[in-house]
Amino acid sequence: MGAFGVGQPLSRFEDGRLLRGGGMYVADRALPGQAYACFLRSPHAHAAIEAIELENARNAAGVVGVFVSSDLAADGLGRTAVTLKRSRSDGSPMFWRAHPGLAETRVRHVGDPVAMVVAESLDQAKDAMELIEVSFAPMPAVTASDLAIAPSAPAVWDECPDNVSHVFEIGNWAQTNRAFEAARHVVRRRYVVTRVHAQYMEPRGAIGQYDPKENRYTLYADVQYPHRVRDVLAGRIFRKPTHDFRVVTGDVGGAFGTKGWQYIEHRLTLWASRQIGRPVKWTCDRSECLLADEHGRDLIADVELALGDHGSFVGLRVRTISNIGAYLSSDRNLLATFVNLPTMVGTYAIPSAHVHMTAVFTNQSATAPYRGAGRPEAIYVIERIIDDAARELKFDRISLRRQNLIPSEAMPYVTSLGMRYDCGDFARNMEDVLAFADWGDFEKRREESRAKGLLRGIGIANSIERAASPGLEFAEIRFDTSGTATLFMGTLNQGQGHDTTFRQILSERLGLKPDEIRVVEGDTDTVAFGMGTMGSRSTVIGGSAICAVADKIIEKGRKIAAHLLEAADQDIRFEEGRFFVIGTDRSLSIGEVARSAFQPAKLPDDVESGLYETGTFTPKQDTFPNGSHVCEVEIDPETGVVQILRYVVVDDVGTVINPKTLKGQIHGGVVQGLGQVLMEQVVYERSSGQLLTASFMDYAMPRAQDVCDIEVHSSPHPTSLNPLGAKGAGEAGTVGAIAAAMNAINDALSEIGVTDFEMPATPFRVWQAINQRRPAHA
């Protein structure tokens, strides 16, 4: 481990540039001659489009184009597709409908785009948009997940009258049923995980540019995986060769899974650019985000936990309803509905389990991965039912967990839902977090709160997630004639600190200093390939690709060094950036070898000039970051205000590349989980389907005063599944936070008889729950 290598708590190299205003976001880009686009979006949740009058808008000042669905159809613009094989309960194929780009004969959620206006300025585009007259015929809408499958529910799609897209299940149904029949205790609950929005610092944007001279399209956009965006645009939308498309992504002000690859604005800015012969820029207003973007979460779970005489877990049954919104445009709209299912047994040895998921359509925006992509929901389900079982059956909740945790000596462990946990010490995580959080003295602190008329609660959650799922990732190292290196990565930074993490990994492998390394991401013309950033995979898979290509560089460098040092290849060892002749003090730095690589006269006959290599890595299976979270809260029963007093995490993310950036990742993830628990929620009015939380006036976001200092402790158990031993950290904080905080809030409210409180814990909802129980409690 060098001064800049793996394990060092380095500050992020990119922060200086960003803090000085040197970022390059979509809003910062301006192309010569660009026009500006805006979208007319539906004010109705469900309505037929009877007529559209466009003439006034087309004649408005500055307007260069007004487009509707018929224009896209006439030009043969394609659509995205779902490739996953799923079926309905009767065995028939799943029902799905991709978004057409602009609504055709019907709008299906508030914000559904109906028309696109392009003008010389954004103000002119917005003014012209106001002149479009649409005759809507409102239709009945459904926005509640549980009501969507009711017999009387309005159909989002006429061809799918029951609103069920498909079902999916895992586990052994018959075995689990037998376990329940023999169980001594069965505890049943329903839990609701609310709908939320990523609310990143940078709203989405896109600039489309068509070059008729090269017959080539360039998209500038804040996306998470540029190469996949390029491939979809080429293959599905425009049906042209991939090399006719370039996607460029600069700095990205947060993504969290929501900045995916199938948003309609990407294709429409490119298409409109070809239509008008100029670049077209669209930037999402903050007030437009919740209308234009995909949402996250939105799940109802009916949960049953079967226990034996002394509290041993013998079976788990879960039936979930996943709300996928109005459109099912790609596999990504389904990821959060099923990737969570295998981890619903959590860190516990539950011998029998079965989980059944029903995906339903509603008149809402589509859902897609949001930080954790279903894993926070899974841990929420198992950790809530354990707390409720302990409360109902009079077990100590820590003892109940302790006796059912998978022991470290059982690793690798295959769960009843088919996941292979390769390593970890779940029991040690829990014992450590209990000690750090001073759990043993909690009752004293609760008495102190009682004396002040306040309710105090503490909650725990043992978390685990499947991360860095198998998939290819790419890295390339190019040394130049000066001996410094450029690292090209197929992943993409969205604020995680890749520029720092990847330099550390390369510094560890090649002994280079940070200023001798340049990191390049986000341009499909520059980086040969990449799957992008999602699912806590960048360090695990991208970092492992760096290891693979670094090994190739070392191997070629060894041959060059051997020739220069007049030694046999096998007598050269590489260590801390230098090639040594074994048993002597003769050596060359990798920079010296790189410079020599560009001088053919200094090379052996069988070695090609230059020093540049590519590498890829594909893991054999998922990794499983895990940990334990403890949250302590205090509630004022007179106001319903919940105060987070203390939050402690013990996390096992495998090898820690940078302790400082890791804590930043955990902090951010925890706060996003706490935000959902305390205040965040996308709310639609049930009868009309109107979006009630379209701005920060209605959609509350956590601020510094709403959270406490977050205490993070690492308990690394490196995995053998990749050369770094890393498991992934980007989503770990959120995975445990929702369950830990809600368990703490319910623990506090249980003092006055409230035991089934659901998120969000806004002051009004908490106050209401308290006052509904006060008479009975008194």
Side-chain angles (χ1 to χ4, degrees):
M1 182 195 303
F4 306 105
V6 170
Q8 297 297 329
L10 303 183
S11 296
R12 303 194 326 171
F13 294 110
E14 55 265 55
D15 284 348
R17 171 179 63 86
L18 295 174
L19 290 171
R20 290 192 299 269
M24 179 55 72
Y25 300 90
V26 176
D28 295 320
R29 293 188 186 272
L31 303 184
Q34 71 184 18
Y36 296 82
C38 67
F39 291 89
L40 175 67
R41 299 184 181 275
S42 170
H44 300 283
H46 199 189
I49 301 174
E50 295 184 329
I52 304 179
E53 175 54 56
L54 303 173
E55 198 63 24
N56 291 335
R58 284 175 171 157
N59 292 329
V63 170
V64 293
V66 179
F67 308 106
V68 292
S69 63
S70 58
D71 299 311
L72 308 183
D75 205 41
L77 198 67
R79 304 182 187 184
T80 53
V82 176
T83 64
L84 290 171
K85 304 301 181 184
R86 298 284 187 265
S87 61
R88 289 163 51 86
S89 57
D90 61 2
S92 60
M94 68 184 293
F95 180 86
W96 62 274
R97 288 291 184 272
H99 200 288
L102 294 171
E104 296 172 313
T105 58
R106 196 184 289 185
V107 291
R108 288 182 166 85
H109 66 86
V110 173
D112 207 353
V114 175
M116 179 186 191
V117 180
V118 183
E120 298 287 350
S121 71
L122 182 57
D123 286 341
Q124 288 174 325
K126 290 182 176 181
D127 288 343
M129 183 181 68
E130 297 291 336
L131 299 177
I132 298 175
E133 298 179 12
V134 184
S135 178
F136 290 105
M139 303 172 66
V142 60
T143 58
S145 306
D146 51 346
L147 298 182
I149 55 176
S152 60
V156 178
W157 297 91
D158 293 343
E159 310 95 307
C160 185
D162 62 0
N163 290 325
V164 174
S165 165
H166 65 281
V167 298
F168 183 72
E169 57 186 335
I170 59 170
N172 189 313
W173 172 252
Q175 178 183 319
T176 304
N177 284 350
R178 289 194 295 271
F180 271 80
E181 290 169 1
R184 178 58 182 265
H185 308 286
V186 176
V187 178
R188 298 177 175 87
R189 292 291 188 277
R190 167 171 279 202
Y191 302 121
V192 177
V193 180
T194 50
R195 175 176 284 243
V196 290
H197 179 261
Q199 296 290 14
Y200 17 64
M201 292 178 68
E202 177 198 15
R204 290 191 302 111
I207 306 176
Q209 181 182 35
Y210 173 69
D211 183 351
K213 290 180 291 186
E214 294 191 5
N215 190 26
R216 200 156 190 261
Y217 299 82
T218 300
L219 174 71
Y220 299 88
D222 51 337
V223 296
Q224 295 182 230
Y225 13 85
H227 292 83
R228 292 165 69 187
V229 172
R230 178 198 62 182
D231 294 348
V232 168
L233 289 169
R236 286 283 182 182
I237 307 301
F238 291 90
R239 303 184 188 94
K240 293 182 179 293
T242 303
H243 61 242
D244 287 344
F245 290 81
R246 178 190 184 194
V247 175
V248 180
T249 300
D251 292 306
V252 178
F256 311 116
T258 305
K259 289 183 177 174
W261 50 260
Q262 56 92 2
Y263 281 111
I264 59 103
E265 295 88 3
H266 300 155
R267 70 190 83 158
L268 293 182
T269 53
L270 287 173
W271 178 82
S273 176
R274 191 181 71 190
Q275 299 303 112
I276 69 170
R278 298 166 55 181
V280 175
K281 181 174 185 176
W282 170 78
T283 50
C284 190
D285 289 339
R286 180 63 70 178
S287 59
E288 190 182 11
C289 284
L290 272 151
L291 301 171
D293 296 351
E294 293 165 328
H295 298 165
R297 315 281 193 238
D298 206 339
L299 173 144
I300 296 173
D302 291 305
V303 190
E304 299 174 286
L305 180 64
L307 302 90
D309 286 334
H310 304 292
S312 59
F313 299 160
V314 297
L316 178 72
R317 284 193 302 223
V318 184
R319 294 184 69 88
T320 69
I321 300 173
S322 289
N323 187 333
I324 58 174
Y327 294 96
L328 181 46
S329 297
S330 70
D331 295 343
R332 93 176 233 100
N333 295 128
L334 297 180
L335 291 178
T337 70
F338 71 89
V339 296
N340 62 322
L341 304 186
T343 52
M344 277 194 172
V345 291
T347 57
Y348 304 99
I350 304 178
S352 302
H354 182 267
V355 185
H356 181 283
M357 183 276 296
T358 302
V360 302
F361 290 106
T362 61
N363 294 110
Q364 297 170 287
S365 294
T367 52
Y370 167 63
R371 200 166 192 170
R375 285 98 81 192
E377 295 95 304
I379 297 306
Y380 184 72
V381 165
I382 186 63
E383 291 296 323
R384 282 293 308 273
I385 195 68
I386 291 173
D387 257 32
D388 284 338
R391 193 175 290 115
E392 181 176 317
L393 302 176
K394 310 303 181 186
F395 287 115
D396 176 76
R397 51 188 164 150
I398 297 301
S399 298
L400 190 59
R401 287 176 167 85
R402 189 177 280 134
Q403 74 176 94
N404 286 290
L405 282 170
I406 299 167
S408 60
E409 56 269 22
M411 298 296 178
Y413 182 88
V414 179
T415 74
S416 54
L417 293 178
M419 291 291 97
R420 181 183 180 274
Y421 298 167
D422 64 297
C423 65
D425 192 339
F426 308 148
R428 173 50 51 197
N429 290 343
M430 188 176 78
E431 299 305 326
D432 285 348
V433 82
L434 293 174
F436 286 128
D438 197 15
W439 186 283
D441 285 335
F442 170 72
E443 288 303 326
K444 295 179 183 177
R445 300 193 295 275
R446 174 172 266 171
E447 286 297 332
E448 293 170 1
S449 294
R450 283 190 189 130
K452 295 183 289 185
L454 303 175
L455 306 174
R456 198 178 190 112
I458 194 168
I460 189 170
N462 292 318
S463 65
I464 193 165
E465 57 166 323
R466 58 188 300 196
S469 295
L472 183 64
E473 199 46 79
F474 170 88
E476 178 180 2
I477 297 172
R478 297 184 202 167
F479 275 89
D480 54 42
T481 56
S482 70
T484 59
T486 300
L487 173 64
F488 299 86
M489 294 298 300
T491 57
L492 186 75
N493 184 34
Q494 301 136 39
Q496 299 95 329
H498 288 187
D499 197 28
T500 303
T501 303
F502 291 155
R503 289 188 200 212
Q504 288 185 257
I505 295 171
L506 192 55
S507 176
E508 179 81 8
R509 289 282 164 158
L510 298 185
L512 298 171
K513 296 177 181 178
D515 60 2
E516 296 174 327
I517 303 168
R518 176 173 173 253
V519 179
V520 175
E521 296 179 303
D523 187 336
T524 60
D525 272 9
T526 304
V527 181
F529 175 78
M531 291 295 288
T533 297
M534 69 283 183
S536 302
R537 71 187 301 274
S538 293
T539 296
V540 176
I541 307 181
S544 294
I546 294 174
C547 296
V549 67
D551 288 344
K552 292 182 180 180
I553 290 287
I554 292 170
E555 188 56 34
K556 184 174 181 179
R558 179 179 283 110
K559 292 180 180 180
I560 299 172
H563 181 75
L564 295 173
L565 294 169
E566 300 179 335
D569 292 2
Q570 61 268 25
D571 291 334
I572 300 294
R573 80 174 192 277
F574 181 75
E575 185 177 323
E576 295 184 355
R578 299 191 71 83
F579 294 93
F580 292 87
V581 178
I582 297 174
T584 75
D585 60 356
R586 291 189 297 137
S587 69
L588 290 170
S589 72
I590 193 169
E592 291 172 312
V593 169
R595 289 192 291 273
S596 297
F598 292 92
Q599 302 175 52
K602 293 186 176 182
L603 301 179
D605 294 338
D606 59 343
V607 174
E608 185 181 5
S609 297
L611 190 56
Y612 21 74
E613 298 285 350
T614 63
T616 61
F617 182 77
T618 303
K620 294 180 179 179
Q621 67 157 77
D622 307 87
T623 60
F624 290 93
N626 58 88
S628 290
H629 296 228
V630 167
C631 179
E632 191 165 334
V633 303
E634 199 170 54
I635 299 174
D636 184 344
E638 299 304 317
T639 63
V641 171
V642 177
Q643 182 182 0
I644 307 292
L645 298 176
R646 192 172 186 190
Y647 201 101
V648 184
V649 184
V650 171
D651 250 326
D652 171 12
V653 300
T655 300
V656 176
I657 307 299
N658 184 326
K660 184 177 291 188
T661 58
L662 170 62
K663 286 187 177 182
Q665 286 289 290
I666 302 299
H667 286 177
V670 168
V671 172
Q672 283 188 269
L674 294 178
Q676 178 165 7
V677 165
L678 294 176
M679 61 193 69
E680 292 187 54
Q681 185 179 13
V682 175
V683 179
Y684 287 85
E685 203 278 320
R686 284 207 168 197
S687 60
S688 68
Q690 283 298 316
L691 180 61
L692 303 180
T693 53
S695 74
F696 285 151
M697 293 293 290
D698 307 293
Y699 188 100
M701 288 283 287
R703 294 174 289 185
Q705 67 188 41
D706 298 309
V707 296
C708 61
D709 183 44
I710 299 167
E711 189 178 328
V712 179
H713 302 271
S714 289
S715 179
H717 289 75
T719 178
S720 61
L721 296 172
N722 61 72
L724 285 173
K727 296 180 179 179
E731 295 156 297
T734 311
V735 171
I738 298 174
M742 282 304 298
N743 278 345
I745 290 167
N746 274 281
D747 181 53
L749 293 175
S750 69
E751 290 284 283
I752 56 170
V754 178
T755 58
D756 56 355
F757 185 80
E758 291 291 345
M759 67 179 78
T762 62
F764 175 73
R765 295 188 74 251
V766 173
W767 178 87
Q768 191 176 47
I770 291 171
N771 282 275
Q772 286 173 349
R773 295 296 179 96
R774 265 178 166 165
H777 181 68

